[in-house]
Amino acid sequence: MMERELRIKVAVQKTGRLTENSLEMLKRCGLSYSRGTDQLICFGENMPVDVLLVRDDDIPSLLAEGVCELGIVGLNVLLEKAAEGPGLVAPRTLGALDFGHCRLSLAVPRGKSYDGTGSLAGARIATSYPRILTGWLQEQGVEAEIVTLSGAVEIAPRLGRADLICDLVSTGSTLAANELEEVEVVLESHAVLVAGETPADSFRAEWVKRLANRIDGVLRVRESKYIMLHAPRAALEEIRALLPGTEAPTVMPLDGIDDKVAVHAVCRENVFWETLESLKQAGASSVLVLPVEKMLA
Ligand code: PRT
Ligand code: ZN
């Protein structure tokens, strides 16, 4: 029986755009847990890892306060909270995840002219990201008035509360529905894996590292393919050069065939039909492309 203290906690969004992908990521790392309705914490059944289900805005401070060791949150939220001032420990970003993509953009009411960042001087901009926006405006060397709103930013111009907005956009349909036009990208955002202070005991420190490595592995296999083919010895170099994102392929003799070899390689990038066609043209035969289930660097 594992001791209660010797467990780590991973904070993920309870309900929202990041929830499904975050929980799916943890499952792919081998974690199984039972999730009841309206639960705040899910106890991992096969690892000393528990999942804390919280509002995304609380994740940076939960990490800073040492309540949890790892968290999955949008880069936009992380940067905004980090700029609020140093917590106990500034959370460390361990890496970008492949979901939650969006951008924090400036948008103006349709029909209003926009003449580059210079024209923002003195304008009123409504946003829920005042600190990120302040930093960006400083970089651009313009002074504008920031109207901080916690939600419904897109209706601020119609209510006369702002001249333009700075809000998250993914498909752009919300902007279009509100007759707004995207004019500048302030931040390209996506979900990130974030760590708090490294636990003092080596058992938990090891589990933080192990989980972060597994997440890294999951990300890498999502793109990776295992490719097997037969190549004429004479075309080996050309064929090698065509394999996308491979380091050292395994080259093996073929029984009874002297002028051909078998080539096996992990391609760390997607293998497209075009690549297969080029391989065939270069003389490759019996080409097989397989998905990769797990990978450990
Ligand atoms: O309750 P809690 O505080 O946890 O959730 P929340 O409402 O603050 O967050 P949530 O679930 O809306 O978003 C969580 C994170 O997902 C954000 O912090 C971003 O990192 C990321 N993300 C990705 C997005 C979007 N895409 C997105 N489209 N967050 C918000 N949106 C909004 C957008 O502003 C617009 O109002 O969704 C609406 C639809 O967007 P369009 O462009 O597709 O129309
Ligand atoms: Zn939130």
Side-chain angles (χ1 to χ4, degrees):
M1 176 80 186
M2 273 180 268
E3 277 185 65
R4 270 298 286 279
E5 298 74 40
L6 291 182
R7 299 178 69 82
I8 61 165
K9 288 193 198 75
V10 185
V12 306
Q13 192 185 23
K14 188 169 192 279
T15 23
R17 284 163 206 279
L18 303 180
T19 308
E20 199 185 324
N21 284 316
S22 302
L23 293 175
E24 154 83 8
M25 174 59 86
L26 294 175
K27 279 197 186 143
R28 288 200 168 267
C29 290
L31 182 67
S32 61
Y33 56 85
S34 46
R35 188 187 182 192
T37 49
D38 213 35
Q39 247 180 325
L40 214 68
I41 189 158
C42 300
F43 294 103
E45 288 160 354
N46 57 342
M47 295 184 202
V49 176
D50 299 325
V51 184
L52 212 56
L53 297 159
V54 293
R55 285 202 59 186
D56 64 346
D57 314 73
D58 293 335
I59 294 175
S61 50
L62 289 171
L63 286 161
E65 288 161 14
V67 175
C68 53
E69 287 75 21
L70 289 170
I72 295 177
V73 69
L75 180 63
N76 49 303
V77 170
L78 183 69
L79 294 179
E80 185 64 25
K81 296 286 169 189
E84 266 179 22
L88 302 174
V89 186
R92 289 173 294 133
T93 306
L94 297 184
L97 302 173
D98 58 357
F99 56 87
H101 293 278
C102 58
R103 47 201 192 274
L104 183 64
S105 290
L106 288 186
V108 298
R110 195 171 297 143
K112 285 262 170 72
S113 66
Y114 175 75
D115 238 354
T117 52
S119 64
L120 295 172
R124 290 170 308 152
I125 312 175
T127 189
S128 306
Y129 295 89
R131 292 174 183 87
I132 296 177
L133 179 58
T134 301
W136 183 83
L137 288 168
Q138 273 167 4
E139 278 169 28
Q140 305 301 315
V142 276
E143 272 187 47
E145 188 191 328
I146 297 175
V147 180
T148 305
L149 300 176
S150 55
V153 171
E154 63 278 5
I155 62 167
R158 257 188 293 152
L159 299 178
R161 298 188 69 184
D163 302 307
L164 64 157
I165 67 160
C166 173
D167 202 8
L168 297 175
V169 185
S170 55
T171 61
S173 58
T174 301
L175 290 187
N178 287 282
E179 310 216 317
L180 293 160
E181 216 170 305
E182 189 175 359
V183 290
E184 298 277 356
V185 176
V186 170
L187 174 78
E188 293 280 359
S189 188
H190 45 78
V192 283
L193 177 68
V194 191
E197 193 174 16
T198 307
D201 61 284
S202 58
F203 180 81
R204 287 186 313 144
E206 189 50 48
W207 269 99
V208 168
K209 222 194 284 175
R210 191 175 290 181
L211 201 57
N213 281 340
R214 288 189 187 182
I215 288 178
D216 189 48
V218 170
L219 291 171
R220 278 193 285 152
V221 297
R222 285 221 254 247
E223 280 273 280
S224 298
K225 294 281 177 282
Y226 192 77
I227 187 161
M228 303 193 282
L229 54 85
H230 291 174
R233 279 187 192 276
L236 189 55
E237 279 318 303
E238 189 187 347
I239 284 173
R240 255 191 204 200
L242 286 170
L243 295 172
T246 48
E247 277 142 36
T250 310
V251 179
M252 290 163 287
L254 283 168
D255 197 23
I257 306 172
D258 288 338
D259 59 342
K260 280 189 180 179
V261 285
V263 179
H264 289 196
V266 174
C267 296
R268 291 181 193 271
E269 292 162 29
N270 226 331
V271 180
F272 296 104
W273 280 110
E274 288 76 6
T275 310
L276 299 188
E277 285 155 7
S278 311
L279 285 167
K280 192 150 191 260
Q281 228 161 27
S285 55
S286 309
V287 184
L288 262 185
V289 181
L290 309 172
V292 176
E293 164 77 19
K294 288 189 179 66
M295 194 191 288
L296 205 61

